[in-house]
């Protein structure tokens, strides 16, 4: 039996059509599974790009039905990162991928040795479930928008706590296969993805490093319109750093067999109505008339902005109400755009997936690409040609309504696609102050709209108005390089460090993700807060955790305007005492930036469950709150304006003051007392297992293992107070821990305590006495450096790497240890001159700490025979590059999680 036949069986199984021998993959889908990966893939709309890539990736990773039956292809990394331009595409792709995995019998959760699939979206996940980051050695599929994924790949993950940024930064840039789908919609994100792949290939060029970390990164860019106009690569693949490339381009030209031709030649006819706008009565009447042509008819209407979508929806709603036809004959009207909470948008999506009825769907770009809609009639505002191609792909998608045969026999006319114009506005120009009419091209550029008009004329004049996929393949759609260029010094100098500036903020990456005049989002959630009607409402820092279903993406400048002059709460770092913890920071709306998570009181409104973000008036009918289930247990759920409460889960604690890691907080509450020796042994064992599974070699692997062995030694720190030595961290663990035989035992050093009911037992504050707090990882790193200085044969690079991984294992101190005491500058994150670590040894390990003297704080400073801390970090960045260094940092943290 041939390899192709095996893959056909695998493909059928994924779609649960094993017995259907007529169902088989297209030729290019089979080639992707058998040939080397291309870098760019162009496929007409409706030809199964997502299934092609995902199933080929599974096949090359060795997965077959129910199990992994082959060794993975070494050129196919273990994490498939599927990046999409819009959130609605993410949810659909997730459903499809999860269905394929379940049909194949290989879908699992992290830690089960199967393939897990994850949505990377704003808001909290189920903290009781293992996250994708906890198992970097396993195959998994990560699906998200370019905002979420690229911000994480730039070490600024949106809607994620800063201490977690380096983990995602490392794990999303090493051992990953990025798929950039629908690149024509990505703008600056497309450019950033080119630069990230280039930097990995350049900054990962050290031969020693490649030998010790045999893990790669690759990117596949794909679309129906990649923009190639000749034999050269598309213009957007070249940046100042990437002037020439050896990348491979695969363009799928379907064979005219029976399976392909139905979609390829789907009858679609273009009508150009440049004088109509979304305000035109002729447009409104035509849309409604088309919807009423039969009992089962889907009319899809695209406009370019949320504001115009809302206004058009309202005009159509008014005209439908005034219509004289019977209520049963009136079409259902649906509005969908990107400015909805997920909970509300899911309800709308359910309507979109209905199989019958008269429906008019008014939408923005969110339904433009990748969504499996099959409309009978399409109306669209003029947009860039690449966007129009995607919109035409939602019309008669399967080629069966009407079919080619019905059209050829003149039983039916082709499916109708109407392109209408955009409104004008009058602006004052020149010294004459004469009003000039200008097109409202936003959110696009004037050149892009002008080019689209030329392509429309070409279709009408030279292709008889046909917009079938076969015709559109013959019309070039060039894409250009967009947005600012990410530079290497920005990546390593500004983005690799995660220290907050004096205002508590960080380097903004929004302009590397999307055009600044388009989708630059913050995420708004509405809560019941003190000062409103409910006087017993919880204050911000006592609110239950964020749930991703309540977050509404809003352009940050619109949020600033809507809430102008009002106080809001932004999820940020607390600056109190220079000890950075996540908190809700009260501020004015003028401080809102892209990427922020913003909580506002219900009374501020600006949102409707039915219409989404409004920017004024109205307010949500439902919001997340704490309530009780039927048995009286505290629960997190949806509360409504009528007093109802729907339970979601039982995560009711804020989970922020403990360092911004809800999963770790949840695990703390499940754990028992753990001695320091046991924890360090388990961490060493976990890291040994990780480096073996990932095939890490040499001094790099040794540094990861040694870092986990030493990472918590600082918990044995002693400080002299009132003439006596006090074990500061140990006192905190005992103070916060729950006593029961045999714990706590006198003279035993602990790493973890069993939290008292209602307490955290986290150890984040280090002590109940605020003046004694310190970062234990700083003490651990100093101890290790003192130990390494005693070893004459020590490798300077390995020593620096081990010390860095120890210091960075919580993500709170990485590139710049800093004084905490405002009155004195000789401490390092709370570790003070004179502090010492008690003698400590773990049997059968290399950890033997016998030093009686004080920790040498000067080891962080430069000296004639050694670099300072910043010099060590610079050396590591030069050798490993930012991606591999953060990846190793993530491995140490994962091993620590597993040992906790």
């Amino acid at each position: 039996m041939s390899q192709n036949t095996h893959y056909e069986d695998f493909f059928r199984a994924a779609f649960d059509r094993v017995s259907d021998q007529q169902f088989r993959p297209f030729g290019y889908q089979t080639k992707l599974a058998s040939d080397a990966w291309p870098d760019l893939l162009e496929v007409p709309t409706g030809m199964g790009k997502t299934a092609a890539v995902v199933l080929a990736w599974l096949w090359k990773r060795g997965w077959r039905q129910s199990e992994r039956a082959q060794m993975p292809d070494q050129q196919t990394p273990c994490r498939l990162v599927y990046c999409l331009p819009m959130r609605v595409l993410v949810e659909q792709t997730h459903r499809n991928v999860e269905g394929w995995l379940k049909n194949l019998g290989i879908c699992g959760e992290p830690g089960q040795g199967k393939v897990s699939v994850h949505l990377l979206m704003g808001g909290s996940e189920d903290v009781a479930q293992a996250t994708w980051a906890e198992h970097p050695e396993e195959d998994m599929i990560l699906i998200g928008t370019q905002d979420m994924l690229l911000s994480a790949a730039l070490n600024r993950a949106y809607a994620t706590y800063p201490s977690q940024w380096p983990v995602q930064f490392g794990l999303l840039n090493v051992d990953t296969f990025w798929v950039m789908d629908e690149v024509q919609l990505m703008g600056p994100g497309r450019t950033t993805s080119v630069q990230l792949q280039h930097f990995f290939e350049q900054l990962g060029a050290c031969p020693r490093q490649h030998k010790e970390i045999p893990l790669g990164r690759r990117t596949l860019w794909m679309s129906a319109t990649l923009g190639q106009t000749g034999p050269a690569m598309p213009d957007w693949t070249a940046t100042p750093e990437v002037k020439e490339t050896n990348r491979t381009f695969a363009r799928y030209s379907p064979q005219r067999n029976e399976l392909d031709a139905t979609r390829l030649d789907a009858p679609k006819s273009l009508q150009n109505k440049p004088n109509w706008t979304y305000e035109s009565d002729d447009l409104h009447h035509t849309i409604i008339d088309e919807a009423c042509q039969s009992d089962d008819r889907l009319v899809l209407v695209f406009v370019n902005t949320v504001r115009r979508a809302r206004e058009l929806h309202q005009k159509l709603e008014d005209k439908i109400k005034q219509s004289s036809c019977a209520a049963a004959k009136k079409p259902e009207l649906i509005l969908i755009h990107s400015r909805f909470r997920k909970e509300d948008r899911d309800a709308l999506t359910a309507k979109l997936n209905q199989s019958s009825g008269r429906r008019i769907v008014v939408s923005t770009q969110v339904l433009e690409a990748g969504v499996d809609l099959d409309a009978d009639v399409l109306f669209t505002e003029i947009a860039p040609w690449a966007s129009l191609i995607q919109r035409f792909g939602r019309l008669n998608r399967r080629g069966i309504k009407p079919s080619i045969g019905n059209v050829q026999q003149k039983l039916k006319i082709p499916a109708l696609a109407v392109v209408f114009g955009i409104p004008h506005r009058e602006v004052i120009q020149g010294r004459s102050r004469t009003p000039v009419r200008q097109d409202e091209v936003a959110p696009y550029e004037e050149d892009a709209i002008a080019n689209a008009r030329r392509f429309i004329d070409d279709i009408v004049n030279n292709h008889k108005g046909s917009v079938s996929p076969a015709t559109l393949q013959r019309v070039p759609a060039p894409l250009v390089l967009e947005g600012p260029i990410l530079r290497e010094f920005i990546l390593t100098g500004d983005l690799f460090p995660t220290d907050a500036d004096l205002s508590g903020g960080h380097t903004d990456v929004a302009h590397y993700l999307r055009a600044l005049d388009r989708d630059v989002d913050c995420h708004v959630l509405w809560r019941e807060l003190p000062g409103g009607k409910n006087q017993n409402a919880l204050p911000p820092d006592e609110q239950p955790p964020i749930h991703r279903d309540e977050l509404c993406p809003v352009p940050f400048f619109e949020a600033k305007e809507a809430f102008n002059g009002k106080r809001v709460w932004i999820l940020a770092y607390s600056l109190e005492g220079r000890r950075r913890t996540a908190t809700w920071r009260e501020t004015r709306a003028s401080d809102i930036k892209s990427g922020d998570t913003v909580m506002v009181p219900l009374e501020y409104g600006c949102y409707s469950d039915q219409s989404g973000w409004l920017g004024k008036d109205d307010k949500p009918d439902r919001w997340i709150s704490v309530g009780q289930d039927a048995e009286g247990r505290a629960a997190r759920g949806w509360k409504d304006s009528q007093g109802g409460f729907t339970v979601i889960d039982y995560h009711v604690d804020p989970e922020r003051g403990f360092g911004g890691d809800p999963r770790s907080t949840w695990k703390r509450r499940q754990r028992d007392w753990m001695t320091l020796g046991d924890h360090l042994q388990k961490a060493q064992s976990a890291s040994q297992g990780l480096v073996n599974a990932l095939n890490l070699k040499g001094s790099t692997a040794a540094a990861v293992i040694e870092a986990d062995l030493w990472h918590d030694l600082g918990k044995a720190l002693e400080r002299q107070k009132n003439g006596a030595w006090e074990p500061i961290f140990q006192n905190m663990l005992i103070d916060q821990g729950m006593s029961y035989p045999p714990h706590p035992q006198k003279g035993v050093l602990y790493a973890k305590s069993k939290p008292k009911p209602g307490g955290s037992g986290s150890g984040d504050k280090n002590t109940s006495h605020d003046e004694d707090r310190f970062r234990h990882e700083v003490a651990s790193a100093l101890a290790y450096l003192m130990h390494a200085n005693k070893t004459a044969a020590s490798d300077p690079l390995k020593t620096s790497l081990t010390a860095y991984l120890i210091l960075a294992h919580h993500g709170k101190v990485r590139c710049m240890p800093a004084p905490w005491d405002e009155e004195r500058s000789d401490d390092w994150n709370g570790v003070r001159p004179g502090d010492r670590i008690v003698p400590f040894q773990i049997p059968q390990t290399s950890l033997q700490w016998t030093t009686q003297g004080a920790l040498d704080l000067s080891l962080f400073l430069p000296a004639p025979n050694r670099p300072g801390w910043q010099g060590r970090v610079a050396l590591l960045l030069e050798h490993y590059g930012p991606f591999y260094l953060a990846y190793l940092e993530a491995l140490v943290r994962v091993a620590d999680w597993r040992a906790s």
Side-chain angles (χ1 to χ4, degrees):
M1 187 177 292
S2 71
Q3 178 84 350
N4 284 356
T5 304
H6 281 300
Y7 183 69
E8 286 186 5
D9 293 339
F10 178 79
F11 195 91
R12 291 189 187 97
F15 284 88
D16 196 22
R17 298 177 67 173
V18 174
S19 60
D20 184 359
Q21 294 300 305
Q22 297 302 312
F23 179 77
R24 60 181 182 270
F26 296 132
Y28 88 97
Q29 292 174 323
T30 301
K31 285 177 65 66
L32 275 183
S34 59
D35 295 355
W37 290 107
D39 297 296
L40 293 90
L41 176 65
E42 186 172 87
V43 179
T45 57
M47 295 294 176
K49 297 190 302 294
T50 303
V53 172
V54 171
L55 297 180
W57 175 82
L58 288 168
W59 183 263
K60 289 184 176 183
R61 288 297 300 173
W63 292 98
R64 304 295 183 261
Q65 294 183 52
S66 304
E67 62 181 353
R68 191 201 294 275
Q70 302 288 334
M71 291 295 294
D73 169 32
Q74 295 304 304
Q75 301 305 310
T76 304
C78 81
R79 276 181 298 286
L80 176 64
V81 183
Y82 205 99
C83 184
L84 291 151
M86 292 173 289
R87 186 167 177 164
V88 68
L89 303 182
V90 169
E91 293 157 352
Q92 175 180 286
T93 303
H94 178 263
R95 287 193 299 271
N96 291 339
V97 170
E98 195 170 55
W100 298 330
L101 292 175
K102 288 179 178 178
N103 290 338
L104 289 167
I106 57 176
C107 186
E109 296 296 328
Q112 294 180 349
K114 292 193 173 184
V115 182
S116 55
V117 56
H118 306 267
L119 278 174
L120 269 64
M121 300 173 73
S124 61
E125 298 181 80
D126 183 354
V127 295
Q129 300 295 320
T131 67
W132 66 271
E134 291 183 63
H135 291 273
E137 77 278 29
E138 288 191 348
D139 287 4
M140 57 185 62
I141 301 173
L142 312 175
I143 306 170
T145 62
Q146 66 189 82
D147 303 84
M148 291 298 175
L149 291 174
L150 287 176
S151 66
L154 293 174
N155 209 21
R156 293 295 182 269
Y158 283 179
T160 303
Y161 298 100
S163 62
Q164 299 300 305
W165 289 348
V167 174
Q168 296 196 23
F169 177 63
L171 296 182
L172 285 174
N173 281 304
V174 176
D175 207 7
T176 51
F177 180 25
W178 278 73
V179 177
M180 307 297 293
D181 195 4
E182 309 295 0
V183 296
Q184 80 285 349
L185 302 178
M186 290 184 171
R190 180 173 65 244
T191 304
T192 298
S193 70
V194 173
Q195 287 293 85
L196 282 170
Q197 184 62 38
H198 168 74
F199 287 146
F200 180 87
E201 293 165 0
Q202 296 303 308
L203 301 177
C206 172
R208 174 183 174 187
Q209 171 191 313
H210 268 306
K211 182 178 179 181
E212 295 188 350
I213 313 176
L215 303 171
R217 182 192 198 273
R218 71 175 309 125
T219 302
L220 172 64
W221 293 272
M222 65 180 190
S223 169
T225 53
L226 280 177
Q228 186 190 37
T229 58
M233 299 298 285
D235 292 342
W236 56 267
T237 61
T239 71
E241 286 81 9
V242 191
K243 294 182 179 178
E244 294 183 5
T245 178
N246 295 320
R247 302 198 191 284
T248 54
F249 193 128
R251 170 174 278 169
Y252 174 48
S253 299
Q255 300 298 311
R256 293 192 172 278
N257 57 48
E258 183 180 351
L259 288 176
D260 291 341
T262 301
R263 293 193 176 206
L264 189 64
D265 295 320
K268 311 179 191 185
S269 181
L270 174 65
Q271 284 189 12
N272 188 19
K273 298 289 185 179
N275 295 324
W276 288 4
T277 72
Y278 79 102
E279 299 171 307
S280 301
D281 283 340
D282 287 343
L283 174 66
H284 306 156
H285 290 303
T286 306
I287 291 172
I288 295 170
D289 288 345
E290 286 290 346
C292 294
Q293 291 297 314
S294 68
D295 291 338
D296 182 11
R297 198 159 176 84
L298 173 61
V299 176
L300 187 56
V301 187
F302 283 103
V303 286
N304 297 338
T305 69
V306 174
R307 176 184 62 82
R308 297 207 287 263
R310 285 197 301 258
E311 292 180 10
L312 176 58
H313 177 268
Q314 185 62 55
K315 293 176 185 298
L316 291 172
E317 187 174 58
D318 293 342
K319 284 184 168 56
I320 290 172
K321 287 179 180 178
Q322 297 166 8
S323 172
S324 59
C325 64
K329 297 292 186 179
K330 291 182 178 180
E332 180 182 17
L333 187 60
I334 301 169
L335 172 66
I336 186 165
H337 51 74
S338 59
R339 309 305 177 196
F340 278 94
R341 298 182 300 191
K342 180 179 181 298
E343 175 81 0
D344 301 324
R345 193 176 57 256
D346 284 349
L348 294 170
T349 302
K351 291 183 179 181
L352 289 179
N353 292 330
Q354 290 176 355
S355 60
S356 63
R358 294 182 175 90
R359 288 166 294 151
I360 299 173
V361 178
V362 179
S363 176
T364 57
Q365 296 88 339
V366 294
L367 298 182
E368 188 171 291
V371 180
D372 193 15
L373 286 177
D374 198 351
D376 296 270
V377 186
L378 175 77
F379 295 83
T380 174
E381 268 189 331
I382 191 169
W385 183 243
S387 293
L388 289 177
I389 289 176
Q390 296 298 329
R391 295 178 187 186
F392 296 150
R394 307 313 115 197
L395 174 66
N396 193 17
R397 185 172 175 81
R398 295 174 178 82
I400 60 176
K401 53 179 194 181
S403 68
I404 300 171
N406 283 335
V407 172
Q408 290 175 341
Q409 297 172 35
K410 298 185 178 180
L411 299 175
K412 292 184 178 181
I413 62 172
L416 179 63
V418 177
V419 178
F420 56 93
I422 49 181
H424 305 286
R425 59 193 172 101
E426 289 192 347
V427 298
I428 303 298
Q429 282 190 347
R431 295 181 180 179
S432 65
R433 310 296 292 172
T434 303
V436 177
R437 283 178 33 142
Q438 288 188 353
D439 290 341
E440 289 191 14
V441 297
Y444 304 116
E445 300 293 332
E446 290 183 7
D447 288 348
I449 298 299
N451 285 333
R453 291 191 175 108
R454 287 193 289 271
F455 286 125
I456 289 171
D457 290 341
D458 181 40
I459 289 289
V460 172
N461 297 327
N462 300 320
H463 299 280
K464 299 180 180 179
S466 171
V467 286
S468 69
T471 301
L472 295 177
Q473 272 195 309
R474 300 195 293 271
V475 180
L479 294 176
V480 299
L481 194 70
E482 294 183 60
I485 306 297
L486 177 68
R487 303 295 185 182
E488 180 181 338
F489 70 87
I490 297 292
L491 180 66
T492 58
D494 291 350
L495 298 180
F496 184 79
T498 52
D499 304 283
D501 59 29
L502 293 178
S503 67
H506 296 83
T507 306
D508 186 13
V509 297
H511 52 300
Y512 294 118
L513 309 183
R514 294 187 186 271
L516 286 179
D517 60 349
R518 292 185 62 184
D519 259 345
V520 187
D521 292 348
C522 61
H523 294 82
V524 179
L525 61 146
W526 288 261
R527 290 288 180 91
E528 203 169 22
L529 295 172
K533 294 181 180 179
N534 185 355
Q535 297 303 315
N536 297 320
L538 294 171
D541 275 319
E542 295 180 24
Q543 288 281 330
I546 300 167
H547 193 283
R548 71 183 181 205
D549 285 4
E550 68 176 323
L551 292 174
C552 178
V554 175
F556 77 94
F557 46 85
E558 289 190 18
K560 291 170 71 167
E561 181 180 352
F563 305 132
N564 183 38
K566 298 178 180 179
R567 58 178 185 167
V568 299
W569 286 263
I570 297 176
L571 194 61
Y573 267 155
S574 165
L575 297 179
E576 181 182 355
R578 290 182 174 265
R579 179 179 158 270
R580 308 200 189 281
T581 58
T583 187
W584 286 110
R585 177 168 61 90
E586 183 178 353
T587 185
R588 290 287 177 180
S590 57
D591 289 338
I592 296 174
K593 302 187 298 296
S594 62
D596 281 343
T597 302
V598 185
M599 180 164 59
V600 300
L602 281 171
E603 289 74 21
Y604 288 6
C606 300
Y607 183 90
S608 160
D609 296 6
Q610 293 74 38
S611 300
W613 170 255
L614 299 170
K616 62 180 181 179
D617 305 330
D618 225 324
K619 67 178 181 180
D621 293 325
R622 304 170 73 235
W623 59 93
I624 295 289
S625 184
V626 175
Q628 292 185 335
D629 66 5
E631 299 176 3
R633 293 179 296 176
R636 177 174 63 164
W638 286 99
K639 187 176 179 180
D640 61 51
S641 55
Q642 304 302 314
F645 183 76
T646 305
V647 173
I648 298 175
D649 53 36
Y650 296 93
H651 308 316
V652 296
D653 295 324
E655 298 177 351
R656 291 189 191 89
F658 313 131
D661 186 353
R663 168 71 170 158
S664 294
T665 303
W666 179 86
K667 290 183 73 173
R668 289 187 196 109
R669 295 180 184 134
Q670 317 306 312
R671 73 182 179 215
D672 206 335
W673 290 85
M674 183 181 296
T675 67
L676 184 57
D678 284 346
H679 175 61
L680 295 180
Q681 276 187 314
K682 288 181 179 179
Q684 182 191 38
S685 177
S687 61
Q688 181 72 65
L690 276 173
V691 299
N692 289 344
L694 295 165
N695 199 28
L696 270 61
K697 305 291 185 182
S699 61
T700 300
V704 171
I705 296 168
E706 193 166 19
D708 268 307
L709 181 63
W710 283 78
H711 76 281
D712 270 358
L713 184 64
K715 293 181 177 181
L717 181 140
E718 289 186 325
R719 177 169 294 162
Q720 196 165 35
K721 297 184 66 177
N722 300 322
W725 288 97
E726 290 192 15
I728 304 296
F729 199 99
Q730 297 299 309
N731 288 346
M732 179 278 301
L733 288 175
I734 293 171
D735 181 54
Q736 293 188 3
M738 183 169 63
S739 298
Y740 58 88
H743 302 294
Q745 299 179 41
K746 189 175 182 180
V748 173
L749 291 174
Y750 287 98
K752 318 285 180 182
S753 61
K754 175 71 174 178
K756 292 178 180 177
S760 71
S762 69
D764 189 61
K765 285 190 175 181
N766 302 154
T767 175
S768 57
H769 302 289
D770 190 63
E771 69 274 7
D772 281 332
R773 66 183 185 272
F774 70 96
R775 291 306 316 173
H776 66 272
E777 60 267 37
V778 174
S780 302
L782 286 169
Y784 172 77
L785 288 172
M786 291 173 66
H787 169 79
N789 282 349
K790 296 179 181 179
T791 307
S794 64
D795 177 348
L797 183 68
K798 174 180 172 292
T799 297
S800 293
L801 177 59
T802 306
Y804 174 81
L805 297 177
I806 293 169
L807 187 73
H809 82 267
H810 278 297
K812 298 185 178 181
V813 189
R814 297 174 66 245
C815 299
M816 181 91 64
W820 271 0
D821 195 325
E822 300 286 359
E823 303 300 325
R824 48 191 290 182
S825 59
D826 58 352
D827 78 4
W828 291 114
N829 295 90
V831 178
R832 304 174 186 173
D835 290 350
R836 71 183 189 184
I837 292 178
V838 300
F840 184 76
Q841 179 174 352
I842 302 178
Q844 301 178 346
T845 73
S846 60
L847 180 48
Q848 298 181 13
W849 176 257
T850 58
T851 303
Q852 296 285 346
L855 293 173
D856 185 359
L857 274 62
S858 70
L859 291 175
F860 283 149
L861 301 174
N865 62 336
R866 66 167 188 270
W869 186 256
Q870 288 177 289
R872 292 182 188 274
V873 174
L875 176 68
L876 294 172
L877 284 170
E878 181 181 358
H879 182 80
Y880 287 97
F883 304 125
Y884 279 133
L885 185 55
Y887 180 77
L888 298 174
E889 187 178 337
L891 296 185
V892 171
R893 294 176 74 177
V894 168
D896 183 24
W897 294 343
R898 293 184 181 183
S900 299

